[in-house]
Amino acid sequence: MTADFVHGGNVYEAARTSGRASNRFVDFSASINPLGPSPVAVRALRHSLPQLIHYPDPDCVTLRLALAERWRLASDQIVVGNGSSELIHLLPRALGIRHALLIGPTFSEYARAVALAGGKVSYLHARRSEDYRPPLELVLQAVRRSRRPVDTIFLCNPNSPTGQAVPAESVRKLVQAAARRRLRVVVDETFVEYCADRSVLCDARRSANLLVLRSFTKFYAMPALRLGYLVGAAPLIQLIRSLQPPWSVNMPAQAYAVAALGDRRYVGRSLAYMQRERTSFVMNLMALPGVRVYPSEANFLLLELPASRSARVCAATLARQGLLIRDCSSVPGLNRRTVRVAVRRLVQNRRLTAALRQWLGGQA
Ligand SMILES: Cc1ncc(COP(=O)(O)O)c(C=O)c1O
């Protein structure tokens, strides 16, 4: 994997390079619900284990029906994938994307998927001076003037790794303007559970040019099980399903997801916890000398280190102490002092803050 497409969450590589066991790292580099998996869903997963001797349902029927009921969509408007990453990689081939516009700085897999399918990518980057607020007005202008002969726009909302979210109404305007120019809009809502009023998922009932991606791996804390889904117009969804390898979504993941959807208590606890802990983590990080903390509506924070410091050295130093953070210096549109940290449990967040304070107080 090249430097441009590095991801967080690789505790195995950290263990191999450090000699420390993988379970002895505190992983701030992947943004997973700090409360861990839904207990109700873990129970369902355990109950499903006798089914290991059968192939999983290749059509994920029970899960698609549950999702259809939740979002009041038809089940043929939903395709389930082995993580939303699988769907991101099926999209360019299914849609025949030749030129995508990415609203950056953003998740690297959109660019990789489009490039692997032979398409071209252009970026419209959010500005640091605007706290990396996604520049939807500029995108709208570009769409209206058709200056960029793109066929598909990718928007991540809330955006990773910057954390900002745009209002649903602004996304709707973009989708409508794009429809007039026959452009498709893919909205990645992988972290939207933390700001549900920003979601446009239900608009997929009527907007033929809108595709919305969701993941279970972050909010429902199951990155090792893998599960994501995509919602859109039935013919497009059918096309994507036709390209998918059979049985790509395993049975324990399907059982977990169906039960997780019904665990409203877990959702409430997770949201309340994040609201509280993110606020106090932000305040503690803002008190570090020269550190800039960007606004976030998700379960992670983008930080900029002081001018003399580098994200690469910071990440390497903390890794030696068993703390993994995401060095964002290779993300197009961000500078070499930028890192992303997940909001985790209070004690872990305090440990990270203390380690950063110590590093910032020492030699560069
Ligand atoms: C914005 C965004 N979208 C999609 C994904 C892929 O998630 P998964 O394949 O685990 O569903 C990630 C993972 O980091 C992400 O950050």
Side-chain angles (χ1 to χ4, degrees):
M1 195 163 273
T2 66
D4 282 355
F5 299 112
V6 169
H7 294 292
N10 197 339
V11 291
Y12 304 102
E13 191 185 10
R16 278 192 297 273
T17 52
S18 69
R20 185 189 281 261
S22 59
N23 61 3
R24 291 201 47 237
F25 285 95
V26 185
D27 187 12
F28 290 87
S29 69
S31 305
I32 307 302
N33 185 338
L35 299 192
S38 142
V40 172
V42 169
R43 227 172 295 135
L45 183 151
R46 285 210 186 97
H47 281 131
S48 76
L49 291 181
Q51 302 286 101
L52 282 182
I53 53 164
H54 300 295
Y55 278 90
D57 176 358
D59 301 312
C60 302
V61 171
T62 309
L63 177 57
R64 283 197 298 121
L65 287 173
L67 288 167
E69 191 181 320
R70 160 64 57 86
W71 301 121
R72 289 194 280 127
L73 293 161
S75 63
D76 62 358
Q77 290 191 272
I78 303 167
V79 52
V80 182
N82 189 256
S84 55
S85 313
E86 183 192 22
L87 302 166
I88 291 171
H89 277 268
L90 290 174
L91 272 169
R93 265 197 304 151
L95 304 181
I97 298 178
R98 298 174 64 102
H99 189 173
L101 176 64
L102 309 191
I103 305 173
T106 194
F107 186 51
S108 58
E109 288 302 322
Y110 316 134
R112 191 159 91 104
V114 172
L116 285 174
K120 188 178 145 192
V121 161
S122 297
Y123 285 95
L124 249 175
H125 283 310
R127 296 202 185 108
R128 177 177 175 272
S129 58
E130 292 176 4
D131 281 342
Y132 295 116
R133 190 175 53 79
L136 280 206
E137 318 77 48
L138 293 182
V139 181
L140 263 176
Q141 279 171 26
V143 168
R144 285 189 183 130
R145 292 179 196 155
S146 279
R147 285 244 175 94
R148 293 162 189 268
V150 298
D151 48 61
T152 308
I153 299 169
F154 281 82
L155 168 72
C156 185
N157 199 35
N159 186 50
S160 177
T162 56
Q164 286 247 24
V166 289
E169 208 37 56
S170 307
V171 183
R172 273 183 201 119
K173 272 193 196 140
L174 175 65
V175 173
Q176 283 157 11
R180 286 194 283 276
R181 300 280 175 181
R182 294 170 187 258
L183 309 185
R184 280 175 301 250
V185 182
V186 178
V187 183
D188 182 349
E189 295 190 340
T190 283
F191 293 100
V192 87
E193 285 88 350
Y194 292 105
C195 48
D197 61 325
R198 309 301 176 103
S199 175
V200 293
L201 186 143
C202 293
D203 292 38
R205 287 181 207 134
R206 51 184 181 279
S207 301
N209 67 327
L210 170 67
L211 288 145
V212 180
L213 264 170
R214 287 283 185 102
S215 176
F216 271 77
T217 69
K218 316 289 189 185
F219 189 83
Y220 292 99
M222 54 174 294
L225 269 181
R226 321 289 308 126
L227 198 133
Y229 61 100
L230 180 73
V231 165
L236 280 180
I237 294 298
Q238 190 44 44
L239 209 56
I240 291 162
R241 287 181 68 189
S242 70
L243 292 176
Q244 197 173 27
W247 312 296
S248 74
V249 185
N250 69 74
M251 182 276 304
Q254 293 183 39
Y256 179 100
V258 170
L261 272 181
D263 192 355
R264 304 307 297 165
R265 197 160 159 256
Y266 168 82
V267 172
R269 274 199 306 125
S270 302
L271 294 177
Y273 178 84
M274 186 50 56
Q275 195 68 39
R276 211 171 50 238
E277 187 50 28
R278 187 177 57 204
T279 307
S280 97
F281 196 24
V282 166
M283 276 167 47
N284 293 333
L285 290 167
M286 278 170 60
L288 295 174
V291 171
R292 180 165 170 177
V293 184
Y294 289 94
S296 172
E297 307 225 19
N299 59 338
F300 55 81
L301 299 167
L302 190 77
L303 313 180
E304 193 176 282
L305 303 168
S308 59
R309 303 297 182 131
S310 107
R312 190 178 53 78
V313 175
C314 180
T317 307
L318 294 177
R320 284 195 290 278
Q321 300 171 38
L323 302 169
L324 299 181
I325 64 167
R326 174 76 163 94
D327 164 8
C328 291
S329 48
S330 66
V331 176
L334 292 178
N335 65 36
R336 49 178 284 284
R337 292 182 284 133
T338 315
V339 298
R340 188 194 65 199
V341 298
V343 178
R344 295 191 52 109
R345 303 303 289 237
L346 180 144
V347 175
Q348 299 171 325
N349 296 338
R350 284 195 182 150
R351 188 174 151 204
L352 181 73
T353 311
L356 275 170
R357 187 181 305 109
Q358 191 182 32
W359 179 67
L360 290 165
Q363 292 299 305

